[in-house]
Amino acid sequence: MSWVRRRAGPLIVLGTSAAGGAAYRFFGPSRPTDESLNPHTFTPYTLINKQPVSSTSAIFTLRNANGAPDSQSVKEVEKRSVWSIQIKQPQLQIARAYTPLPHTTDGRKDEDAPQNIRLLIRQETGGEVSTYLHRLPEQATLELRGPNAEFELPRNVKEVIFLAGGTGIAPAMQVAQALSRRTGSKMQVLWANRKREECVGGVSDDRETASSPQNRLGWWKSILVGSSETATLVGLSKDDAVESEILQDKGLIVKELDALKANNTIATQGLKVQYYVDEEKTFIQPEDVMQRMASTSQEKGSKLIIVSGPDGFIEHWAGRKVWVDGRETQGPLGGELREMNLGDWKVFKL
């Protein structure tokens, strides 16, 4: 997987579970913390749960240690933006930005009650903050700062193609929730993972279009149900065999994507998710993107392709970001998308 290499840099960490995440070194004493999450000072949160997603990643559930509800800035930013929070690593005095998962449909019964923050965090090799977090026991106290709006979804955008690599699925889920509030919106997510354990039970909505030397489900499925004759021997048609995979236990993120899909069908044209797994020899191909560009509606409104994931993934599809005057900018469009006829589609790198 050549696209997963990381950009060198002593203090900057970009393009994993955080949309445009960064690490910052703090000099001098911290300012006093506020009770509610805010972008200026650090607020104590309690780690109330860690749910394993795979051998290297987990969903961390954090709750305001003071019992304070979300600030108005959090309530506003999550309605229209991809946003992140920063977590401090106190021993090294650095912080790392992570993109929260959207609130579940049953997680906001009371606007004035404290709301949990949930983060999909992978333990990166050599990652000071992610290693620190994965070693923390439940009920540990963390210090958070935010929210930081990474990208505000334009009001006229109703169609999105989102290319997600690994934990880049978190900002994709934020966008999906934001679009669920826009009548007539449509979103298609192409999610690439190294291993099936990251997306257990995930089956592409457009199964016939997934790119692979074999079928989309990989070599192991071909052995189990490699032909209609083999399927008959085990009492399944080939279609039934594919459907039987859906019945297996689904991973946590797959379940949440399914819930987002159900929510997005109420007032929108829907959310579709395509799964690609390296170890199954299924990879996102340029024709997969072009096919989804061609299937869009003719309604007025901006059309957006968003790319999020490891640095190499972003570079492969859209080219590198560029540092200008100490700030990271979009940089010129490059990679596979540059070679396509994008028409009205705009590209944004997270």
Side-chain angles (χ1 to χ4, degrees), residues 250-278:
K250 294 184 178 181
L252 294 174
I253 298 300
V254 173
K255 288 180 181 178
E256 296 207 13
L257 285 169
D258 286 349
L260 281 170
K261 285 192 287 186
N263 190 46
N264 277 45
T265 60
I266 297 174
T268 72
Q269 297 182 50
L271 167 68
K272 289 187 176 182
V273 180
Q274 317 304 325
Y275 295 89
Y276 301 82
V277 182
D278 285 12

Side-chain angles (χ1 to χ4, degrees), residues 89-104:
Q89 208 285 29
Q91 287 85 18
L92 298 178
Q93 284 295 292
I94 60 174
R96 172 72 164 82
Y98 291 96
T99 302
L101 296 169
H103 291 292
T104 54

